[in-house]
Amino acid sequence: MKYGPFVESVRARGLEMGDVVCFPLSVGWFGERGRPRRVSKLQFFYKGGTVNMYARPVEGVTVTVDLDRMVVVDFRDRMVMPVPKAEGTDYRSTEEKEEEEEEIPGPGSRGISIEGHVVRWANWDFHVSFDARAGLVLSLASVADPERDESRLVLYKGHVSELFVPYMDPSEEWYYRTYLDAGEWGFGVSSLPLKPGADCPANARFMDGFYAGRDGMPVRVENVFCVFQRYAGDVSWRHTEIIIPGRVIREVRPEVSLVVRSVAVAGNYDYIVDYEFMQSGTIKVQVGLTGIVEMKASEHTHTNQVSQDIHGTLIAENTIATYHDHFITYYLDLDIDGQRNSFVKAKMKTVRLGSDSDGSSPRKSYWTVERETAKTEAEGMVSMSPAEPSELMLVNPNKKTKMGNVVGYRLIPKSAPTISLLSDDDYPQIRAGWTKNQVWVTAYDPSQRWAGGMYADQSQGDDNLVAWSRRNRSIENTDIVLWYTVGFHHIPCQEDFPVMPTLNGGFELRQTNFFERNILLKTPLPSVESDSCSSGRQSQNIIIG
Amino acid sequence: MKYGPFVESVRARGLEMGDVVCFPLSVGWFGERGRPRRVSKLQFFYKGGTVNMYARPVEGVTVTVDLDRMVVVDFRDRMVMPVPKAEGTDYRSTEEKEEEEEEIPGPGSRGISIEGHVVRWANWDFHVSFDARAGLVLSLASVADPERDESRLVLYKGHVSELFVPYMDPSEEWYYRTYLDAGEWGFGVSSLPLKPGADCPANARFMDGFYAGRDGMPVRVENVFCVFQRYAGDVSWRHTEIIIPGRVIREVRPEVSLVVRSVAVAGNYDYIVDYEFMQSGTIKVQVGLTGIVEMKASEHTHTNQVSQDIHGTLIAENTIATYHDHFITYYLDLDIDGQRNSFVKAKMKTVRLGSDSDGSSPRKSYWTVERETAKTEAEGMVSMSPAEPSELMLVNPNKKTKMGNVVGYRLIPKSAPTISLLSDDDYPQIRAGWTKNQVWVTAYDPSQRWAGGMYADQSQGDDNLVAWSRRNRSIENTDIVLWYTVGFHHIPCQEDFPVMPTLNGGFELRQTNFFERNILLKTPLPSVESDSCSSGRQSQNIIIG
């Protein structure tokens, strides 16, 4: 801080030396020969008006220090850039306040308002309804923007559209077990009452569902949904700052979210369907697989008797649990801040700095982002691969942030992306052809909600997501639907017997330049009292149309 | 149930008609021409001695029913197989008990025993220690086997081994920002005190850590770990059974787990490191990314001023958040039921039933499992791909279940598998070369704990995971180490400013034929009183060596 040229550089920028913070960085190895360097490159930040000095970089100045001799061995002041302003960079709730324990809302329901079909909680509001085929249907999910003092639409409608569950035994009794659980059985009809205190916390809010029975009379499913506030001990954001001399700043916010759940039981198998609304703006979607695996009787009582492919695992005496897949396809009619949206692939591409570069960088490569807006449905299909990553976003090309970024939400898988391994010409695969990609984007058509087609059970693949997409409609700046398939290859194991511990998968839809900034700083914790001590259960039965 | 040939088949098997349950299945389409069939194929189960009739299939009998005419149109009794026994198939806690609300343990610490460095909770025990380089180190994690009345070793030692965080701006001030946070900075030295009631529930148990400071004196980090019981409203397993005429069986168990947490703050960035012990035997490993993104000053105040690659996102006025990656590499010295283990890839391979098959199946394909045991380290590297899936297992080839399955644990990613996009000849990539695969398996060598090598900061790639693996040592039936890298490509967005909402990734290690059956049926819920009403915090400071 006393090195003349550096003091000069600070003065030339009109900054106060007392507010400059020094950040020593490791330098790595970039092909230098000889004895390893023990040097650090210092970068500088400005803490004037903020404790978040990382937001106020003093760009262009690099001081290299020899850590053995503790002397400056190189000084570079390459350019002068404006120091970004302090305003809006502080992340503390109030400056310099005393540390005090905040009350964290317990699990429960007191912060949840349900009027008719509309659920309101914290900064979210949405509509919940029940469908015989889809089960739980969310619509008009909107999040409050604290800067604009208005609610902004994210999800026009979302639900499970289809499940494809093919078994891998070609024998007479098993070859046809290639279920489309929503289209053939009804994922809503399969949704059964939740047990308070077990399927959901005892003090969750429960709702009933109704559908038209085979005789036309209403069938009531009691407690078919539950809604509860979650605090799982997690952190919505945090930072501890120790680099400002003489001070320690520690700001941590607990993660309190809202879960909407239903459970569908497809015969032997149970699917726990969760939508979790985060105060950050994120919607987490999770499916839990549990229940009982499909089993086949066998003469075998030990694996050493097995001499050919038994198409499964010998999980108990005389019992084979057959190999199978689960593909859960979600219909996600996102309307990001309005109806006209586009699908953008932000592809990460390696740029080589080879012998043809100007040699100014010791690096030989980096990645950058090439944004491609999908024009038609053919460009809306994505098969994810670690070697060709892209951030997949639904954006509203007509809306931009103040900085000029297009507003959007991105899709983040929370389990390994999976595709069907059946051959394309196999009949079940013809019916469920979309399971060869994880992602499809289609033009909105109110008749196209069921990935397997209207009549999935005897479908020949001529009315499904693949068939519709062949029309290759425009999907740019129009009303579009995102379809995402969460897949599992299931090689059963003995621990799946006699009932299977829950296995989770899913994805999240995360705000991406939708807001001007992290809204958690301006969103107060839900103003609810802790009711986790209450053993009483609150149930509100409402009629769902 | 009155169809003569069927009654005959049941009698021939010596079964009681009254205990036969009929299960109507959908049939799909397998190339039939003409009018769609409205038929169902019936399969049969036997509920004698159990409510889990799925475990007692009456194999070989298929009845096809025309659903329009409601008549049997086809009957096949192809073979007689033993009906698997009823014993051990029931999943109810007690038969036919009255439904009553069970008390779910609240979050807290009363069920947790900590003696010295040893933590005991429910069916788990393990050792926790602190390391200046790794931070939180788990060892000797063992799970009780309720059938054997003994504890069985799973994880000999596990911790974060290295982090690779390369930024994607090749300019003079940024090209070298390619941190190895554990090797260069010390992930333990970067671990900071947790805030009770915010970083962890207020009534968690907290522990201190100590390390040797630069002057040789012990440095105490207060509350560097926390341990707490979690109930997040989730379900460890469930099933509702409605197919048994006149009965509804609903069994649901809440998920109560134990979380061990520490937080490392690498300058601007915060990493929340969680290990979650599930009563099923599963260990979930999660890392949460939060804190402050690295920012660069810029003359731009709007994206329409940008005419060339700015290597990041304009997230605020004059502020670019630079593109970067996070690769968190875990050292997992699993000792599955003993020291000598093997690495098995259970590859799922499509089998085609083409014109060369006997035509007995209408299916054209299925997948089956080809198990490959990795012989040497070259076979221990795996780059995950949806097109070539395999279940990755560490097994003990010397231990088998009663059924003859080899005991093991498998690796399940909970975020999309990711690889580094830097070119192989780029210097940071030479230092962190292992980030081109997600999985490595090496022979145990006590000197090989740090993926980036002992001296990571100036490494030239000659002492790291890649270099060691080039020796191609045997990894079959010996003491081996699994290395898994959780990766993130981070294109910052405005919501990451001024502080980033937590983004999670991770994996789970899940029992796979390790136990004879699902142990959750025999594992009682932790016998703790709910202490979620308590606002007092319990802190125990123990010295961690």
Side-chain angles (χ1 to χ4, degrees), chain A residues 85 87-90 123 143-152 401-403 514-524, chain B residues 315-316 494-495 497-498:
Chain A
K85 62 185 181 185
E87 190 198 333
T89 62
D90 208 332
N123 51 347
V143 59
D145 185 332
E147 305 214 5
R148 297 199 199 170
D149 204 20
E150 64 172 0
S151 232
R152 295 168 65 195
T401 62
K402 287 176 195 157
M403 303 308 307
F514 185 81
F515 298 109
E516 296 293 336
R517 56 214 318 275
N518 181 348
I519 61 167
L520 287 166
L521 275 77
K522 290 201 176 176
T523 306
Chain B
I315 60 166
Q494 286 187 231
E495 291 88 346
F497 182 87

Side-chain angles (χ1 to χ4, degrees), chain B residues 189-209:
Chain B
V189 172
S190 305
S191 293
L192 295 174
L194 300 169
K195 184 175 178 180
D199 275 315
C200 316
N203 54 9
R205 295 284 283 271
F206 291 85
M207 299 182 187
D208 297 348

Side-chain angles (χ1 to χ4, degrees), chain B residues 56-128:
Chain B
R56 307 202 74 192
V58 179
E59 203 65 39
V61 181
T62 306
V63 178
T64 309
V65 173
D66 182 313
L67 295 172
D68 284 328
R69 295 185 290 141
M70 288 304 273
V71 293
V72 173
V73 292
D74 193 23
F75 176 79
R76 291 269 290 166
D77 185 351
R78 202 166 68 87
M79 59 185 170
V80 174
M81 283 285 166
V83 174
K85 62 184 181 185
E87 188 197 334
T89 63
D90 208 332
Y91 47 86
R92 292 170 299 172
S93 43
T94 58
E95 285 182 34
E96 305 295 333
K97 69 162 182 167
E98 284 298 300
E99 271 203 25
E100 59 186 65
E101 214 166 284
E102 284 156 47
E103 176 150 10
I104 298 166
S109 62
R110 285 203 204 140
I112 304 167
S113 144
I114 301 179
E115 287 175 49
H117 298 193
V118 177
V119 178
R120 291 190 181 82
W121 171 85
N123 51 346
W124 280 100
D125 60 275
F126 53 88
H127 181 279
V128 177

Side-chain angles (χ1 to χ4, degrees), chain B residues 439-461:
Chain B
V439 175
W440 298 69
V441 178
T442 59
Y444 173 74
D445 178 331
S447 73
Q448 295 174 355
R449 274 177 68 191
W450 313 110
M454 189 64 82
Y455 303 104
D457 57 341
Q458 290 294 304
S459 160
Q460 300 187 12

Side-chain angles (χ1 to χ4, degrees), chain B residues 290-479:
Chain B
T290 177
I292 299 167
V293 292
E294 227 162 285
M295 288 171 268
K296 179 179 183 174
S298 154
E299 71 271 29
H300 302 309
T301 55
H302 194 280
T303 54
N304 63 17
Q305 299 154 358
V306 176
S307 58
Q308 56 188 32
D309 193 347
I310 57 171
H311 309 296
T313 307
L314 193 68
I315 60 166
E317 279 179 43
N318 303 117
T319 309
I320 295 165
T322 305
Y323 303 142
H324 60 281
D325 296 321
H326 302 265
F327 296 100
I328 298 98
T329 299
Y330 290 86
Y331 172 94
L332 300 162
D333 182 1
L334 292 156
D335 277 5
I336 303 298
D337 219 7
Q339 201 176 66
R340 284 159 60 211
N341 285 184
S342 292
F343 177 55
V344 171
K345 291 174 259 191
K347 296 184 171 180
M348 285 156 262
K349 298 275 191 175
T350 303
V351 177
R352 283 202 57 100
L353 294 165
S355 47
D356 55 338
S357 83
D358 64 0
S360 68
S361 176
R363 281 280 281 275
K364 296 195 175 180
S365 68
Y366 60 90
W367 58 256
T368 192
V369 176
E370 291 177 10
R371 284 184 173 75
E372 281 181 21
T373 300
K375 292 193 170 43
T376 64
E377 288 169 330
E379 295 173 7
M381 302 170 211
V382 180
S383 220
M384 293 175 170
S385 152
E388 294 185 338
S390 49
E391 203 168 86
L392 302 177
M393 291 186 286
L394 250 70
V395 304
N396 186 328
N398 315 294
K399 300 271 177 79
K400 291 189 173 177
T401 63
K402 288 174 193 157
M403 303 309 307
N405 293 304
V406 66
V407 307
Y409 262 71
R410 69 184 189 270
L411 172 73
I412 303 178
K414 303 306 274 186
S415 42
T418 303
I419 57 170
S420 172
L421 301 175
L422 294 181
S423 65
D424 287 334
D425 64 347
D426 202 358
Y427 299 106
Q429 192 59 42
I430 290 170
R431 295 165 72 213
W434 71 90
T435 54
K436 291 273 172 164
N437 295 319
Q438 294 90 18
V439 175
W440 298 69
V441 178
T442 59
Y444 173 74
D445 178 331
S447 73
Q448 295 174 355
R449 274 177 68 191
W450 313 110
M454 189 64 82
Y455 303 104
D457 57 341
Q458 290 294 304
S459 160
Q460 300 187 12
D462 41 17
D463 173 34
N464 67 13
L465 185 45
V466 178
W468 311 329
S469 294
R470 274 197 210 105
R471 293 169 57 187
N472 206 18
R473 293 165 290 187
S474 168
I475 54 170
E476 192 175 0
N477 199 11
T478 185
D479 194 2

Side-chain angles (χ1 to χ4, degrees), chain A residues 26 76 101 172 184 533, chain B residues 26 76 172 184 533 537:
Chain A
S26 53
R76 290 270 289 167
E101 218 167 279
E172 181 172 330
E184 291 178 350
C533 306
Chain B
S26 54
R76 291 269 290 166
E172 181 172 329
E184 290 177 349
C533 306
R537 90 180 64 147

Side-chain angles (χ1 to χ4, degrees), chain A residues 121-168:
Chain A
W121 172 84
N123 51 347
W124 280 100
D125 59 276
F126 53 89
H127 182 279
V128 177
S129 64
F130 180 80
D131 181 276
R133 185 160 181 170
L136 174 55
V137 176
L138 290 176
S139 50
L140 297 172
S142 304
V143 59
D145 185 332
E147 305 214 5
R148 297 199 199 170
D149 204 20
E150 64 172 0
S151 232
R152 295 168 65 195
L153 187 58
V154 176
L155 181 66
Y156 177 76
K157 186 181 281 184
H159 57 75
V160 171
S161 173
E162 192 51 276
L163 295 91
F164 177 45
V165 187
Y167 284 74
M168 298 300 154

